[in-house]
């Protein structure tokens, strides 16, 4: 999935904005957004700070899975530039093609992360930046458990989400109709811990995407270690 899989647009009162069109699959949404998505979100200082923290923990040449790699910027680009072996997975063909051009030193696969098999302990770290939001709550929990098994004991997790307590809510994301699910901050931390990661750090910020339809939204970044 793309690095942001879709946050609920909000009205000034904080409630998700309604939409009049049926929700679109994630691949359709992010094919339509393409590089526009990167311009809106890649400048997040909190995202870059999260990558800084992850890089501090990685041994040279670590193998890292980037779930929802989007256009490859900033996550795959920074990891690859630091000498790590990056495998990015995204459901959008347009974004996967952009990522392959922008980060030629990484490997990108166009696929649904939920359908890919991974060997146990195949990776030294996994990144999941905003790529869970168009999955149901059950799918999010199940995927995090699978990702934990794919990471070596002691390996690292960097995960970010929009910490709002919603399930299957219709919303509009950068003009695209979507259905999103998420957890509140404490519940999400519990889900990550339940998947098999010791949560070591968390950081919350309010971020406004650089986009005409952008509105302030809460972002939660967690860092964990595979137990």
């Amino acid at each position: 999935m793309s690095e942001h899989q879709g946050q609920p647009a909000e009205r000034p009162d904080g409630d998700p904005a309604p939409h009049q069109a049926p929700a679109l699959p994630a691949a359709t949404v992010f094919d339509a957004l393409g590089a526009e998505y990167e311009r809106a979100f890649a400048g997040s200082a909190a995202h870059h700070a999260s990558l800084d923290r992850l890089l501090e923990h990685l041994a040279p040449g670590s193998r890292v899975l980037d779930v929802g790699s989007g256009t490859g910027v900033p996550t795959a680009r920074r990891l690859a530039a630091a000498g790590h072996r990056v495998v990015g997975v995204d459901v959008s063909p347009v974004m996967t093609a952009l990522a392959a051009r922008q980060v030629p030193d990484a490997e990108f696969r166009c696929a649904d992360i939920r359908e890919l098999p991974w060997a146990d302990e195949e990776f030294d770290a996994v990144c999941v930046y905003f790529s869970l939001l168009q999955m149901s709550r059950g799918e999010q929990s199940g995927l995090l458990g699978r990702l934990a098994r794919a990471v070596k004991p002691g390996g690292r997790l960097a995960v970010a989400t929009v910490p709002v307590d919603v399930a299957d809510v219709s919303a509009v994301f950068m003009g695209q109709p979507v259905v999103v699910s998420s957890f509140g901050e404490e519940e999400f931390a519990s889900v990550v811990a339940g998947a098999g990661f010791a949560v070591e750090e968390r950081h919350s910020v309010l971020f406004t995407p650089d986009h005409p339809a952008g509105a302030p939204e809460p972002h939660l970044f967690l860092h964990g270690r595979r137990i």
Side-chain angles (χ1 to χ4, degrees), residues 29-39 71 92 94-95 98:
V29 171
F30 289 97
D31 277 351
L33 294 176
E36 182 181 9
Y37 170 84
E38 179 185 318
R39 289 190 293 270
T71 66
S92 163
V94 169
M95 286 200 162
L98 280 168

Side-chain angles (χ1 to χ4, degrees), residues 67-222:
V67 177
S69 46
T71 66
V73 179
T75 302
R77 174 179 282 175
R78 290 203 51 194
L79 292 168
H84 301 296
R85 296 169 295 150
V86 181
V87 178
V89 178
D90 199 285
V91 75
S92 163
V94 169
M95 286 200 162
T96 303
L98 280 168
R101 291 198 298 271
Q102 296 194 125
V103 193
D105 293 335
E107 173 190 347
F108 295 97
R109 304 178 189 178
C110 184
D112 188 327
I113 191 67
R114 294 167 292 188
E115 298 173 358
L116 289 179
W118 303 108
D120 288 350
E121 302 179 16
E122 184 174 349
F123 296 96
D124 300 294
V126 60
C127 299
V128 194
Y129 285 109
F130 303 102
S131 49
L132 301 174
L133 291 155
Q134 280 181 263
M135 299 181 192
S136 70
R137 287 178 166 183
E139 288 173 326
Q140 293 182 41
S141 300
L143 177 61
L144 286 166
R146 287 187 58 224
L147 294 174
R149 293 190 292 274
V151 175
K152 298 174 184 177
R156 311 304 302 187
L157 167 73
V159 60
T161 191
V162 176
V164 290
D165 184 12
V166 296
D168 302 318
V169 170
S170 298
V172 176
F173 175 66
M174 294 178 67
Q176 304 294 317
V178 295
V179 171
V180 298
S181 297
S182 189
F183 302 90
E185 180 172 334
E186 294 301 328
E187 188 175 4
F188 186 70
S190 295
V191 169
V192 171
F197 293 99
V199 177
E200 296 181 339
E201 295 181 59
R202 67 170 79 180
H203 181 58
S204 298
V205 299
L206 196 64
F207 178 75
T208 302
D210 184 12
H211 187 270
E217 56 192 41
H219 286 181
L220 172 66
F221 294 83
L222 299 182

